[in-house]
Amino acid sequence: MDRNSETWSIEQQCPQCGGPVILADTDRILSCSYCRVRLFISTRDYFKYILPPADQSPEELIFTPYWRFKGIIFSSSVVKTEHRITDSTISASEHSLFPISLGVRPQAVRLKFLSPELKHHFFLPERPFREVLPDMEKRRNHAESLSLKQQGSILNTGQEAPLHRAFIGETTNLIYLPLSIDGDRFYDTVSKSLLCKIPGDMSLRFVKMKDWGVKFIPTLCPDCGWDMTGETDSLVLLCRNCDSAWKASYHGLEKVRYSVIHTKDAGALYLPFWRLSAEIKEIGLNSYADLVRFANLPRVIRDEWEEKDITFWTPAFKVQPGLFLSASMKATVSQLAPEMSAPLPGGFVFSVNLPFGESFESLKTILIEMAIPRKKFISIIDSISVTPLDRELVLVPFTDTGHELNQPQIHMSISRNTLKYGRNL
């Protein structure tokens, strides 16, 4: 499927032949048009980039860090759950004199992966991402308030504050802005402009470059050596020779357990879902019968449901936030029974581009939407703990009608344009 171009670009040399490769920031597979090699791009935690200086002449550079969060923010109150898609950068430095945001710099130039070649330069330490999230939210809320005032809208100052927030984002990166010092001034070496004057009492603390680079892993099946298939933004590759699935880690390729929902439709397209097991304390949600009672589903509880374990389902592909919640609830209620150790389906399998860790992050929000009564459940949301136990990739068949995909067991329809748009969330 085609992808749109609403992404940042990354400049990289092919590790095998040295040819130039331009990646989208959503790409997790490097595909070289010169030597035809395909490589998984892996990192220890999150990807780290630099904005290349316009002038390469400074011998010493100081790199100041910025967090980038690109994803969905769910804000749940007693009345409803609001959501919005955000793509923001915010300073991760402990010094307040640097710009609060990178602005349009990353869109105007191509980023580069942080490389050991920069080990002789200086890096300012970063504040943890969770520490800067409140500042990011304040900036966003302030911008929205100003926009409403400019439009002449009346602000609802009595609106309920959210009782729970979830940040679901495939993209959390660290981007370094290179600075140079000339006398008592900092200069932005990307825009070649004066940044600020250095206070006389300012003391800079630096951190050494650690193992911050990326690893490139051949996309060959570790079990049989076959070329694996998957689109460039996919986090999981499939080996159709030995029917296995693999994801990249910093130490190599790791096998992903998967299962398949059967269908007689030979032309079906398969969408990936995460099937999650979790321990949820304080609410007694241990069986499918408990789920029926919790969500007040219009079903007569069978005796065997009291012993039937419950699993939670979420899309393993990025999609608009409203559809993400709807699909998660429908699939969780359906409790489909996939076949373990099944061969990979012959039809097209859509990219797995949402990590399972993000799906676990969304579980409380999904439970809030399912709870009846909602008010009672959300009032104790802070005391509820969700402990991940297990996860499995499930390939669910959808019937392709041309403009949309239908899944009768989940009672779900999704348009092709929605899937296309979601790949760049």
Side-chain angles (χ1 to χ4, degrees):
M1 291 187 176
D2 294 334
R3 298 162 62 189
N4 63 46
S5 59
E6 296 176 3
T7 56
W8 295 358
S9 296
I10 300 144
E11 187 178 297
Q12 173 65 34
Q13 284 187 319
C14 172
Q16 179 163 296
C17 72
V21 179
I22 304 300
L23 301 165
D25 63 343
T26 52
D27 285 343
R28 293 299 173 261
I29 296 175
L30 180 149
S31 181
C32 179
S33 59
Y34 295 92
C35 66
R36 305 297 179 184
V37 71
R38 278 166 55 88
L39 301 168
F40 243 136
I41 309 169
S42 178
T43 184
R44 187 178 296 278
D45 39 30
Y46 40 80
F47 287 98
K48 302 172 182 69
Y49 305 103
I50 65 162
L51 286 160
D55 183 358
Q56 300 292 337
S57 60
E59 294 184 0
E60 290 187 348
L61 292 173
I62 294 174
F63 289 88
T64 184
Y66 286 79
W67 285 111
R68 182 204 185 188
F69 174 80
K70 179 183 178 185
I72 301 168
I73 300 176
F74 290 107
S75 301
S76 300
S77 67
V78 172
V79 178
K80 61 181 178 179
T81 294
E82 296 182 337
H83 47 72
R84 62 169 176 252
I85 299 168
T86 185
D87 188 351
S88 304
T89 61
I90 190 166
S91 175
S93 171
E94 58 192 22
H95 302 290
S96 60
L97 71 162
F98 299 128
I100 189 65
S101 167
L102 285 174
V104 298
R105 291 180 185 87
Q107 297 164 308
V109 300
R110 287 173 178 163
L111 302 174
K112 290 185 177 181
F113 288 116
L114 193 60
S115 163
E117 298 171 0
L118 300 170
K119 63 183 177 181
H120 298 299
H121 296 293
F122 301 93
F123 293 84
L124 297 175
E126 72 272 5
R127 296 162 59 201
F129 179 64
R130 289 292 175 183
E131 188 177 310
V132 304
L133 267 177
D135 294 338
M136 189 178 288
E137 275 289 272
K138 286 178 184 177
R139 289 186 64 241
R140 177 65 181 255
N141 292 337
H142 179 66
E144 289 180 350
S145 297
L146 289 178
S147 176
L148 288 172
K149 287 180 180 178
Q150 290 172 356
Q151 296 170 17
S153 300
I154 299 175
L155 296 176
N156 179 12
T157 55
Q159 186 176 5
E160 282 189 282
L163 299 176
H164 176 71
R165 278 197 176 98
F167 300 86
I168 313 300
E170 181 268 334
T171 303
T172 303
N173 303 142
L174 201 60
I175 303 172
Y176 283 90
L177 173 66
L179 312 175
S180 64
I181 295 178
D182 187 358
D184 62 349
R185 288 172 168 78
F186 277 122
Y187 283 85
D188 179 338
T189 64
V190 176
S191 62
K192 297 194 292 187
S193 61
L194 173 65
L195 194 62
C196 60
K197 186 174 180 178
I198 304 174
D201 60 349
M202 180 180 186
S203 103
L204 295 175
R205 184 167 60 93
F206 302 104
V207 294
K208 292 182 179 180
M209 176 180 281
K210 302 174 184 177
D211 194 3
W212 285 351
V214 294
K215 280 190 175 180
F216 297 95
I217 305 170
T219 57
L220 301 177
C221 176
D223 279 356
C224 70
W226 202 262
D227 284 324
M228 294 189 290
T229 61
E231 298 187 65
T232 56
D233 64 338
S234 185
L235 303 172
V236 175
L237 292 185
L238 306 177
C239 178
R240 294 189 175 274
N241 185 57
C242 66
D243 290 316
S244 58
W246 302 84
K247 74 179 185 70
S249 74
Y250 195 70
H251 303 290
L253 293 175
E254 296 179 357
K255 187 170 284 188
V256 175
R257 187 157 47 90
Y258 76 90
S259 55
V260 180
I261 301 293
H262 280 298
T263 181
K264 294 181 180 179
D265 181 7
L269 183 151
Y270 289 79
L271 296 184
F273 283 73
W274 290 117
R275 186 182 185 221
L276 311 170
S277 298
E279 180 183 13
I280 304 175
K281 296 182 178 179
E282 281 76 42
I283 59 174
L285 196 57
N286 302 309
S287 68
Y288 185 60
D290 291 335
L291 177 67
V292 173
R293 287 187 283 262
F294 176 80
N296 196 22
L297 299 176
R299 301 184 180 185
V300 177
I301 296 176
R302 303 175 185 174
D303 291 340
E304 60 267 27
W305 289 359
E306 300 287 357
E307 304 298 326
K308 182 180 179 180
D309 292 335
I310 181 175
T311 55
F312 301 93
W313 294 57
T314 70
F317 53 96
K318 292 183 288 185
V319 72
Q320 293 159 311
L323 185 55
F324 177 88
L325 284 180
S326 173
S328 298
M329 291 188 291
K330 289 179 179 179
T332 297
V333 168
S334 298
Q335 293 290 295
L336 299 178
E339 180 183 347
M340 301 286 294
S341 303
L344 288 169
F348 178 80
V349 178
F350 194 76
S351 288
V352 179
N353 51 34
L354 187 70
F356 66 86
E358 301 300 315
S359 294
F360 276 116
E361 288 287 330
S362 69
L363 283 188
K364 279 192 177 183
T365 301
I366 294 168
L367 289 172
I368 290 171
E369 290 301 286
M370 297 182 71
I372 302 292
R374 177 190 180 101
K375 183 176 182 179
K376 179 180 178 181
F377 177 72
I378 200 172
S379 66
I380 60 170
I381 193 68
D382 287 340
S383 65
I384 295 171
S385 61
V386 177
T387 304
L389 298 178
D390 196 13
R391 55 97 172 103
E392 173 192 29
L393 185 67
V394 183
L395 305 180
V396 180
F398 281 69
T399 300
D400 189 350
T401 64
H403 296 291
E404 66 178 13
L405 307 173
N406 296 323
Q407 219 308 317
Q409 292 170 281
I410 301 179
H411 306 290
M412 174 183 171
S413 296
I414 182 170
S415 74
R416 282 181 163 269
N417 284 337
T418 298
L419 286 177
K420 179 181 176 181
Y421 174 75
R423 294 182 69 177
N424 287 298
L425 289 179

